[in-house]
Amino acid sequence: MGHCEHGLSGRCVLAGIQCYQSGGSLDRANMTLADFKTIADQCEGKVHQFALGGRGDPDMHENFEEILAYSRSKNIVPNMTTSGYGLTGENAKIIAKYCGAAAVSWYRNDYTYKAIEMLVAAGVTVNVHYVLGNDSIDEAIEILQSGKLPEGVGRMIFLLFKPVGQGDYAHVIPAGDRRIETLFSLMDNPEVTKIVGYDSCCVPALVNNNKGIDPQSYDSCEGARFSAYISADMKMTTCSFDRKEIYSVSLRNSSIAQVWESAEFNQFRDILRNACPDCGHKDICFGGCPITPEIVLCQNRQLILSGGMS
């Protein structure tokens, strides 16, 4: 998605959402069906899934069903995240037909619950995506302590807040915040692990505050390791949070395979490879996020950049 109908309505702001893609303030063309097919053609036999997103809800795309169908025709499973704001019953059925799963962003509004109900009724495996920030961590703790999720939801997936796009630094959780220990230690409970998940950005917190989860069951930053992000205007980078396009390469002049082996992607991998050389958890968390180091929930982080330590 190149633009966001949800953001243009102003509802994101009312819901307290700070879009990392700057949805609502940037109005650009959505990815064309032809461009999507080019991506899918190159990925056939090499990629297991597409996570559809961008600067808006994928179900609002003008070629939504065609995109999902073409992905499946290449044996690539499409998954997606929606705010649920513009979701229709018809599109819920389309999602059920083609997608492996769908996630609904936790906006805490009527349309959030309505979207969950619609997708569950259509037979979709539904998760909730919860942005974990300084202002939401208390609610997250309460949810895990209660063990209750909205009816029909499989898991609540915690996505660590990043101060990019419209994101405000005030929402970043400080690495020394005692609530981090409270939240992630709750995941030692087997009953809790059945209902939660987390993005790879949370791994430093898990490493430092959790004893009950086998480290072999999770992995840290997957950027340029086994995933990449392609924007609506066909720029490929290591992660969707690379809003400054530090590691970005245009696919107009290069193939996906060429970008994967590019100097930009190798630079990103080098940061992960060289981070925290003296830490016993190095091979598990790779020092956390190279793009927004301020979100790394570890007080002992050592990141090697350009030959120096920071």
Side-chain angles (χ1 to χ4, degrees):
M1 298 297 291
H3 60 271
C4 179
E5 298 295 335
H6 186 71
L8 293 174
S9 72
R11 290 179 181 265
C12 278
V13 176
L14 293 175
I17 305 301
Q18 298 185 326
C19 180
Y20 79 95
Q21 294 263 15
S22 298
S25 63
L26 291 176
D27 188 6
R28 297 176 182 172
N30 294 331
M31 181 179 287
T32 67
L33 179 60
D35 280 344
F36 180 83
K37 287 183 174 181
T38 297
I39 294 170
D41 289 344
Q42 292 183 63
C43 290
E44 185 176 14
K46 302 179 180 70
V47 170
H48 296 293
Q49 71 152 327
F50 287 145
L52 304 179
R55 195 176 293 116
D57 293 328
D59 49 285
M60 303 292 282
H61 195 284
E62 55 272 23
N63 301 112
F64 180 56
E65 183 170 12
E66 293 166 288
I67 284 172
L68 298 185
Y70 197 77
S71 178
R72 278 288 186 177
S73 76
K74 298 297 178 179
N75 293 316
I76 300 171
V77 178
N79 296 310
M80 54 165 285
T81 303
T82 179
S83 71
Y85 172 56
L87 184 67
T88 63
E90 180 182 356
N91 277 350
K93 293 177 182 178
I94 291 171
I95 293 167
K97 181 178 180 179
Y98 295 107
C99 289
V104 177
S105 298
W106 190 240
Y107 280 15
R108 307 167 182 82
N109 277 308
D110 290 343
Y111 53 82
T112 304
Y113 299 104
K114 183 179 178 181
I116 292 171
E117 292 172 1
M118 227 183 299
L119 291 167
V120 170
V124 180
T125 298
V126 181
N127 294 323
V128 163
H129 277 181
Y130 184 106
V131 178
L132 187 64
N134 193 37
D135 58 339
S136 64
I137 188 171
D138 290 326
E139 180 193 34
I141 291 170
E142 290 177 8
I143 291 172
L144 294 197
Q145 288 175 334
S146 71
K148 295 180 180 179
L149 300 182
E151 188 173 351
V153 170
R155 287 180 183 267
M156 180 163 281
I157 311 298
F158 293 115
L159 312 177
L160 195 60
F161 176 85
K162 291 88 174 172
V164 295
Q166 295 169 336
D168 188 331
Y169 276 85
H171 293 279
V172 174
I173 305 174
D177 194 316
R178 295 299 299 270
R179 294 175 297 174
I180 298 169
E181 180 181 356
T182 301
L183 177 68
F184 286 94
S185 63
L186 286 170
M187 296 180 190
D188 280 330
N189 184 341
E191 295 303 311
V192 171
T193 59
K194 292 178 182 178
I195 64 170
V196 301
Y198 30 80
D199 67 1
S200 58
C201 306
C202 292
V203 167
L206 282 167
V207 166
N208 288 309
N209 298 287
N210 186 275
K211 307 299 181 184
I213 300 177
D214 185 345
Q216 293 186 29
S217 69
Y218 54 80
D219 201 356
S220 191
C221 180
E222 69 267 21
R225 297 176 59 234
F226 53 88
S227 74
Y229 177 77
I230 299 175
S231 61
D233 57 356
M234 296 295 280
K235 293 176 182 176
M236 179 169 160
T237 186
T238 58
C239 171
S240 62
F241 293 99
D242 180 22
R243 307 313 305 156
K244 295 181 180 179
E245 300 184 350
I246 298 171
Y247 307 102
S248 175
V249 181
S250 175
L251 289 174
R252 299 299 183 195
N253 304 309
S254 303
S255 69
I256 291 174
Q258 287 172 330
V259 178
W260 187 257
E261 300 297 339
S262 67
E264 289 83 354
F265 271 53
N266 282 327
Q267 179 188 359
F268 189 91
R269 295 181 187 113
D270 283 343
I271 295 173
L272 296 174
R273 186 180 297 117
N274 295 322
C276 302
D278 301 321
C279 180
H281 299 306
K282 167 182 165 52
D283 293 336
I284 299 176
C285 83
F286 306 115
C289 182
I291 295 173
T292 52
E294 57 270 39
I295 71 163
V296 178
L297 299 178
C298 178
Q299 294 180 283
N300 301 313
R301 186 177 192 250
Q302 294 178 319
L303 180 64
I304 294 180
L305 289 172
S306 302
M309 191 80 73
S310 64

